[in-house]
Amino acid sequence: MENFVGIIQSSINDTLGSWIYLLPEISLAFIFILMIVADLFWAKRIKNLVAIIAVSGLFITILETLDQFLLIHSSAIPLFGGMIKLSVSSVWYKLLIELSGLLVMLFSLRDFQLRNTEKGGSEYFSLVLVVTIGLNFMVMAQNLLMIYLSVEFVSVCSYILAAYLTGNKRSEESGMKYALFGAVASAVMLYGMSLLYGFTGTLDITSSAFYNGLASISLMSASVALLLTLAGLFFKISAFPMQVWVPDVYEGAPTPITAFLSVAPKVAGIALLITFITAVNSTNTTTGSVFLASTESLLAVVAIVTMTIGNFSALWQTNVKRLMAYSAIGHSGFILMGVAAYSMTGQKAILFFLFVYALANIGAFLVIGYFSNVFHSEELEDYKGMGMKYPLISVAMVIFLVSLTGLPPTAGFVGKFFIFSAAVEAYMIGGNVLLLIMVIFGVVNTVVSLFYYFKIPLNLYLRKAKTEISLEKGNLLFSVIIIFLALFTLFLGIFPSKLMGLMNW
Amino acid sequence: MTLSILIFLPILFMVLVAVLPQALKNTFKYLNLAVSIIQLIIAGYMYLHFNHSLPGVFNEQSFQFVEKHSWINLNLGTLGKLQIQYFLGIDGVSIGLLMLSTFVMAIAALASWEIKTNEKGYFCLFLLLNAAIMGVFSALDFFLFYIFYELMLLPLYFLIGIWGGARREYASIKFFLYTLLGSVFMLLVIIGLYFSVKDPITGAHTFDMLSMMNPANYVQGSIFDIHSSALLFGVSPRLLAFAVLFIAFAIKVPIVPLHTWLPDAHVEAPTPISIILAGVLLKIGGYGIIRICMGIFPDGAIYFSWVIGLIGVVSIIYGAMSALAASDLKRLIAYSSVSHMGFVLLGIASLTVEGVSGAMFQMISHGVLSSMLFFLVGVIYNRVHDREIANFRGLYLQMPTYSVFVFIAFFASLGLPGFSAFIAEAFSLIGAFNSNSIPRWMAVVGAVGILLGAAYFLWTLQRMFFGKARFKGGEDWSAKLSDVNLREVIALSPMAIVALLLGIMPFLFFDMSNSAMVELVNATLKSGGQHLETLSKLLN
């Protein structure tokens, strides 16, 4: 009995001691409540009040997240009895998610469609904030229960966001499709998790019981449980075979949300995938994990198929948002290459790649939003000749696309270079030829992606505009952010060590 | 600092052009020309201060105008540190091409007078291209080289795509895709090399090309280690890497059958860009093969010499045949480029000092002559917007001064003694005859290529310039086809003079490059032979 009291005491102490590490998430929750209250009482009197609270709140959260680098130094800290874990890498992922959240909120402030929806924007901003909380937990989750909760948290909010433009058929369809596919994916994942729990008797994926339990049963049963669980994660990062929802949802959702969906959930999903893969392969025995070779091969094959499907399907697209959706699938494949390489170099490469991908992708969507505000179209056809009318924005767009293709002197090249290096390194250590084949597919896909990405500059610059109507000027806020992102993309391409050097853990 | 100034001066002016108001658009071409003239002066300065006795090629100490700064240093987990340097320098291999580039860029700047739309965009891209070209020839760090190498593609895509002819969309993306396909695979070899090579001083993995050339710097058991018996897809990784790099550069040269981007790109590009493409871009392929393929994988250079020679010969003959069949003057010249660049490959494949020197000289000579030819085509195209050979007759009577320049350019190109092409082709063929690595018949077939060259050039002269003046456009064309103006004479004369000067005094170039060529060929034969022996022992 006395023993029992001791356990209770220590777990209470642990829980109380853990709160301090959750400062960013707690602030986000408070800001969310503040936004609801403010929306109820003062929204009529002060224009854009909710948006201002959201943006400034997120900004404060970013500062708090930065502060966490000092808080945890080098070693990772398990919190709440191992439910979540705060490590340097997870702080980086959180930072990336919050930064993209901030950019997307600024983007939404001036988006034509969102401003003109009958519902008004306040719920919208609160939802983006809530998704950020969920994503933060996804990055830190260490326990099957926590993984499931955070993934669902994110999913439910994302469904609403995708369907936010009520009255717009495309947006409603998009939200519906997202919800249906998402529900199936999470059901499958939950089933996989229940199997995992049944096999191992633990929910904590980092405990040695988890690995030992899985390793002791037949490989077949363990694989089924693992594959089902991975399916849920693949849905989040839009990897094959869970990528079918992407084009329709991306095309139909409001452009800022598409930008957000293409970056933030993917970042969190990749972080979670890395946690999961690491847990499955972490063993104290000298022989190494029994799953290592098969996870490596599985991820390599998924990476190959994902990027090939994404890039080749993109070739035939005529709608810019849809094209970017397929490109996002292709990029998932690229990131998975880094996961398949599974090494220290690989993890840093992925983080860097995600940063530059986020910069360029949000930038490209901002340009799409900018143009859509001006001439209300997202068809490639209507981009004809716009390069001459909006030179600065179009040059920025070219920079983003070059970065997404992965050509120097942009950051995308360095990111791709690091990913390839990680894969080649893994091949040299482990000797799995599949990794080398994956790299070859990677470079061929780079060439394919050039072809469709450059359809946009082709229309912007090489073709003449259909009509000579004078168009209004675009939004100044957008222009400033776009140019800033473009310059940053170039800067990181020339001095990658300015960011990469900070990523030490 | 000299090389950095050469590279970053255009960037500086690019920013200047970008921020200047649209109202000053007439000054852009002068600014652009000013950049080229300053670069020419710098090149002249380098020529005067270039020490001919230092061989360069493998040894950092004997490179000149060296600049070496640490650029990207990262600690990358398991396999150690990553070290990328801002490392520039020139030797006998690169100085000639660097001077050629400044010269061709100046000519192209003069030819840019024809650009009448979107001047700001055009000159920004032109200057960016200029910087990238200078960078490619001076970079000694593979990563840096790759960045400049890829950086050339973007401006070229837009320069062809926006200011090009009717099929410009097709031509520009085709050019981009072809080159990129070669270079992405090159990137894989770069990564493999980086994991295999360690800087002997710092112990970090490095992209330094000169470290890569020294077998002692290779990590034991790494992919490209000479003593490693591991196979990649059933072949020796070193030979595979040579083949990949060779194809990447050979697409640029170009070789048959990977040449099809070239006629399209040349025909559709505006005149100044055609000049740059033929005058400089093709040379980057040859330069890459000599500096990188031969330097880093000498074993591959010996192993594949027969294949390279064959590709060279096929390119010579096929290019010449296609030129004979061409009905568009620009297409004819584009195919003649394919044919002439075949001699470069033949010379390289011979692995003799004469042959490789001949290849280098052919690149310089072809750079000057093809620029001149494309400029000349541009002259009539600008006047009547047509360049079908059949639509012109008796141009000599209509444009006498112009015709004299055409005669010079044609006769120089077909290898008339006294002009540079003669010396270059002769040396390549002598090299091929004396070579131990390629059979004699290749030299003979190469010589037949010269004959075919004479045929298409002379036939074109006969069709277009002799006889009574008769044009498809009738009176209208006769009025438009005025003789060359002062600007055109200023651009054409230096090219004619250089072609003649190099033909009479080839030592102007050979003195500069000879020590480098001797070093390169001897070292390639020696270490390449050893590597191949080790390799065959390992595999048996």
Side-chain angles (χ1 to χ4, degrees):
Chain A
M1 194 63 189
E2 270 177 24
N3 202 1
F4 195 57
V5 173
I7 292 173
I8 291 176
Q9 222 156 32
S10 73
S11 69
I12 289 175
N13 282 339
D14 176 53
T15 312
L16 288 177
S18 300
W19 285 107
I20 183 76
Y21 295 99
L22 274 188
L23 195 58
E25 288 75 22
I26 295 169
S27 333
L28 282 175
F30 270 116
I31 294 159
F32 172 60
I33 295 167
L34 183 66
M35 281 164 76
I36 295 178
V37 176
D39 188 29
L40 269 179
F41 296 110
W42 303 292
K44 291 259 166 55
R45 261 176 281 166
I46 308 166
K47 218 181 130 201
N48 281 340
L49 175 68
V50 177
I52 292 164
I53 296 178
V55 170
S56 44
L58 202 52
F59 187 73
I60 295 167
T61 314
I62 290 174
L63 293 182
E64 287 169 356
T65 313
L66 280 173
D67 190 48
Q68 289 193 322
F69 281 118
L70 302 174
L71 198 64
I72 53 172
H73 303 297
S74 53
S75 57
I77 303 168
L79 302 173
F80 297 103
M83 285 300 238
I84 59 176
K85 190 168 83 181
L86 190 64
S87 63
V88 179
S89 61
S90 57
V91 178
W92 273 106
Y93 285 116
K94 277 160 60 172
L95 194 63
L96 179 51
I97 290 164
E98 285 157 10
L99 279 173
S100 47
L102 187 68
L103 283 174
V104 166
M105 280 194 184
L106 291 174
F107 185 175
S108 319
L109 268 176
R110 286 278 169 268
D111 186 74
F112 179 82
Q113 282 183 312
L114 281 174
R115 280 162 72 87
N116 291 292
T117 168
E118 57 205 36
K119 278 195 289 191
S122 20
E123 286 161 52
Y124 172 85
F125 286 102
S126 3
L127 276 169
V128 174
L129 208 71
V130 174
V131 178
T132 315
I133 304 179
L135 292 167
N136 274 1
F137 278 112
M138 239 171 111
V139 168
M140 296 185 292
Q142 293 286 314
N143 183 297
L144 287 178
L145 215 53
M146 200 59 215
I147 292 176
Y148 184 73
L149 277 177
S150 53
V151 169
E152 278 305 281
F153 195 144
V154 171
S155 299
V156 173
C157 300
S158 313
Y159 305 151
I160 307 171
L161 281 174
Y164 197 77
L165 300 174
T166 36
N168 178 328
K169 267 199 179 149
R170 303 287 309 183
S171 178
E172 282 170 2
E173 181 194 334
S174 149
M176 196 63 205
K177 275 189 179 157
Y178 197 12
L180 285 175
F181 279 109
V184 172
S186 55
V188 169
M189 180 168 73
L190 193 58
Y191 184 50
M193 284 177 172
S194 67
L195 286 177
L196 285 179
Y197 179 62
F199 290 143
T200 61
T202 175
L203 286 171
D204 182 3
I205 57 172
T206 52
S207 74
S208 53
F210 184 76
Y211 172 77
N212 292 338
L214 276 181
S216 62
I217 59 170
S218 79
L219 190 63
M220 195 64 197
S221 333
S223 314
V224 170
L226 286 173
L227 280 177
L228 290 176
T229 315
L230 281 178
L233 295 180
F234 282 175
F235 175 78
K236 275 274 153 261
I237 60 171
S238 60
F240 176 84
M242 312 296 283
Q243 92 292 4
V244 278
W245 57 277
V246 173
D248 289 333
V249 173
Y250 278 26
E251 191 187 344
T255 315
I257 287 307
T258 312
F260 190 66
L261 287 182
S262 69
V263 174
K266 195 174 278 181
V267 171
I270 290 289
L272 193 48
L273 185 66
I274 292 174
T275 315
F276 195 74
I277 299 288
T278 316
V280 169
N281 289 318
S282 67
T283 162
N284 299 323
T285 55
T286 46
T287 48
S289 164
V290 288
F291 302 110
L292 186 59
S294 43
T295 41
E296 205 173 72
S297 303
L298 170 78
L299 287 172
V301 170
V302 173
I304 290 174
V305 180
T306 307
M307 62 189 162
T308 311
I309 285 187
N311 283 318
F312 276 87
S313 319
L315 290 176
W316 287 275
Q317 301 311 319
T318 53
N319 179 295
V320 183
K321 266 166 94 177
R322 211 174 166 82
L323 187 144
M324 292 304 291
Y326 282 109
S327 115
I329 299 177
H331 271 95
S332 297
F334 268 107
I335 303 165
L336 277 173
M337 279 175 70
V339 185
Y342 180 65
S343 64
M344 210 55 215
T345 329
Q347 292 194 23
K348 286 186 188 175
I350 291 168
L351 187 55
F352 186 83
F353 189 90
L354 282 171
F355 253 98
V356 298
Y357 166 73
L359 277 180
N361 217 40
I362 294 180
F365 275 112
L366 267 163
V367 176
I368 295 173
Y370 180 95
F371 281 147
S372 148
N373 281 353
V374 176
F375 50 81
H376 305 289
S377 168
E378 280 138 13
E379 293 297 319
L380 261 177
E381 278 282 298
D382 299 314
Y383 277 42
K384 277 184 187 166
M386 288 303 156
M388 305 301 179
K389 287 189 180 137
Y390 302 96
L392 224 49
I393 301 301
S394 304
V395 167
M397 184 64 164
V398 172
I399 293 174
F400 296 137
L401 294 173
V402 169
S403 182
L404 287 171
T405 317
L407 296 178
T410 56
F413 167 68
V414 186
K416 243 176 205 185
F417 176 79
F418 284 141
I419 294 268
F420 286 148
S421 300
V424 171
E425 181 192 316
Y427 163 74
M428 282 164 78
I429 295 170
N432 189 344
V433 184
L434 209 53
L435 288 175
L436 207 60
I437 295 172
M438 173 178 85
V439 174
I440 291 170
F441 266 90
V443 299
V444 173
N445 270 298
T446 303
V447 181
V448 175
S449 72
L450 174 86
F451 189 75
Y452 66 80
Y453 281 132
F454 267 65
K455 273 185 174 174
I456 296 175
L458 173 87
N459 279 292
L460 283 177
Y461 286 107
L462 273 58
R463 293 187 172 154
K464 296 270 174 293
K466 280 183 295 191
T467 48
E468 282 298 324
I469 45 163
S470 59
L471 291 163
E472 55 195 296
K473 273 197 157 163
N475 186 278
L476 185 67
L477 176 71
F478 275 24
S479 317
V480 172
I481 305 176
I482 289 169
I483 288 161
F484 171 75
L485 288 177
L487 288 178
F488 202 52
T489 304
L490 281 179
F491 175 78
L492 280 184
I494 301 169
F495 302 105
S497 37
K498 290 277 179 279
L499 177 63
M500 196 75 175
L502 297 174
M503 296 177 182
N504 295 314
W505 65 78
Chain B
M1 274 305 280
T2 328
L3 288 172
S4 285
I5 295 172
L6 203 60
I7 297 170
F8 289 103
L9 188 74
I11 302 268
L12 195 74
F13 273 75
M14 181 186 87
V15 176
L16 183 66
V17 169
V19 294
L20 279 179
Q22 198 69 39
L24 292 172
K25 65 182 181 186
N26 291 325
T27 60
F28 294 162
K29 56 189 176 199
Y30 295 107
L31 282 176
N32 187 30
L33 187 64
V35 173
S36 292
I37 289 172
I38 299 172
Q39 282 181 321
L40 263 178
I41 294 169
I42 297 173
Y45 164 83
M46 288 201 301
Y47 181 74
L48 292 177
H49 289 78
F50 188 79
N51 184 345
H52 295 180
S53 59
L54 289 175
V57 189
F58 298 109
N59 188 353
E60 193 188 324
Q61 268 75 47
S62 56
F63 271 85
Q64 302 175 46
F65 301 99
V66 172
E67 285 170 49
K68 198 172 185 179
H69 305 285
S70 158
W71 176 26
I72 303 174
N73 269 314
L74 288 173
N75 205 341
L76 269 190
T78 26
L79 266 187
K81 281 180 72 177
L82 166 100
Q83 174 189 334
I84 301 174
Q85 288 166 319
Y86 177 76
F87 183 15
L88 305 175
I90 50 172
D91 63 351
V93 180
S94 47
I95 175 118
L97 291 168
L98 202 60
M99 293 183 61
L100 172 75
S101 310
T102 55
F103 180 71
V104 172
M105 290 314 282
I107 301 297
L110 276 173
S112 299
W113 255 247
E114 71 168 65
I115 301 297
K116 300 277 193 291
T117 50
N118 280 313
E119 289 88 345
K120 185 178 257 188
Y122 176 85
F123 287 106
C124 282
L125 290 165
F126 190 99
L127 288 165
L128 184 63
L129 179 64
N130 187 340
I133 287 171
M134 299 303 154
V136 162
F137 287 123
S138 18
L140 289 178
D141 185 281
F142 213 155
F143 194 87
L144 189 65
F145 172 87
Y146 189 80
I147 286 187
F148 284 128
Y149 185 81
E150 294 275 271
L151 188 58
M152 290 183 314
L153 300 182
L154 274 172
L156 271 172
Y157 170 81
F158 288 108
L159 285 169
I160 299 173
I162 301 178
W163 290 272
R167 287 166 69 241
R168 56 182 193 271
E169 285 179 15
Y170 171 76
S172 54
I173 195 72
K174 186 173 180 182
F175 159 76
F176 206 155
L177 288 175
Y178 262 70
T179 329
L180 189 67
L181 188 67
S183 60
V184 287
F185 281 101
M186 178 157 86
L187 184 63
L188 291 189
V189 176
I190 296 179
I191 292 172
L193 275 169
Y194 143 71
F195 281 123
S196 308
V197 179
K198 273 195 171 162
D199 188 315
I201 302 161
T202 59
H205 287 283
T206 179
F207 287 91
D208 182 351
M209 279 189 211
L210 305 181
S211 300
M212 289 173 180
M213 290 174 191
N214 185 352
N217 294 336
Y218 282 76
V219 181
Q220 281 274 307
S222 56
I223 299 190
F224 295 129
D225 182 20
I226 294 142
H227 305 288
S228 145
S229 60
L231 293 181
L232 212 59
F233 303 115
V235 235
S236 156
R238 282 184 69 88
L239 297 181
L240 189 66
F242 178 90
V244 168
L245 288 179
F246 176 77
I247 291 171
F249 290 124
I251 291 174
K252 276 246 148 113
V253 168
I255 57 166
V256 175
L258 298 173
H259 67 287
T260 56
W261 64 268
L262 179 127
D264 287 315
H266 270 146
V267 169
E268 299 309 324
T271 309
I273 305 310
S274 292
I275 290 174
I276 296 173
L277 271 174
V280 184
L281 264 277
L282 308 189
K283 278 73 210 175
I284 290 168
Y287 172 74
I289 293 172
I290 292 178
R291 162 86 73 213
I292 293 170
C293 294
M294 278 174 83
I296 299 178
F297 300 108
D299 33 358
I302 296 176
Y303 187 82
F304 287 111
S305 56
W306 197 88
V307 182
I308 298 173
L310 183 71
I311 291 172
V313 168
V314 170
S315 299
I316 292 173
I317 299 297
Y318 183 88
M321 296 281 206
S322 307
L324 265 176
S327 60
D328 178 324
L329 186 57
K330 214 170 178 184
R331 190 169 279 269
L332 180 139
I333 294 166
Y335 276 118
S336 86
S337 287
V338 177
S339 179
H340 285 143
M341 290 305 282
F343 285 100
V344 175
L345 287 180
L346 192 63
I348 292 172
S350 76
L351 291 176
T352 55
V353 178
E354 308 91 290
V356 181
S357 301
M360 285 298 300
F361 198 72
Q362 171 76 342
M363 289 204 271
I364 308 282
S365 149
H366 177 256
V368 175
L369 288 173
S370 63
S371 306
M372 191 169 172
L373 289 169
F374 279 113
F375 194 99
L376 287 165
V377 180
V379 169
I380 55 165
Y381 184 72
N382 274 337
R383 283 164 172 65
V384 293
H385 293 282
D386 194 302
R387 13 161 230 258
E388 281 293 309
I389 295 172
N391 293 346
F392 296 89
R393 200 160 167 76
L395 270 174
Y396 180 69
L397 294 175
Q398 178 78 22
M399 308 164 76
T401 326
Y402 172 75
S403 304
V404 170
F405 279 116
V406 173
F407 295 161
I408 296 174
F410 274 22
F411 279 108
S413 296
L414 62 81
L416 193 75
F419 287 104
S420 53
F422 169 73
I423 308 280
E425 282 162 16
F427 268 71
S428 306
L429 290 176
I430 293 169
F433 262 114
N434 293 339
S435 167
N436 295 320
S437 49
I438 53 173
R440 287 249 165 100
W441 63 261
M442 285 186 183
V444 177
V445 179
V448 174
I450 299 185
L451 209 65
L452 285 172
Y456 61 76
F457 276 125
L458 292 177
W459 192 35
T460 311
L461 270 189
Q462 190 214 327
R463 282 183 291 172
M464 285 183 79
F465 290 87
F466 299 156
K468 261 199 169 130
R470 214 170 62 230
F471 307 116
K472 186 180 172 231
E475 284 304 309
D476 182 32
W477 280 25
S478 304
K480 278 181 185 164
L481 283 170
S482 53
D483 212 341
V484 280
N485 60 28
L486 182 64
R487 174 180 65 85
E488 287 159 344
V489 173
I490 291 175
L492 285 165
S493 310
M495 291 191 276
I497 292 169
V498 170
L500 194 63
L501 208 60
L502 283 176
I504 301 169
M505 297 189 280
F507 57 81
L508 285 179
F509 170 76
F510 283 136
D511 276 358
M512 244 175 1
S513 69
N514 192 258
S515 54
M517 291 303 142
V518 173
E519 171 89 4
L520 177 73
V521 170
N522 289 343
T524 306
L525 287 176
K526 186 163 157 269
S527 58
Q530 282 172 357
H531 295 180
L532 276 179
E533 246 172 62
T534 335
L535 191 68
S536 55
K537 260 187 224 147
L538 280 173
L539 295 183
N540 294 324

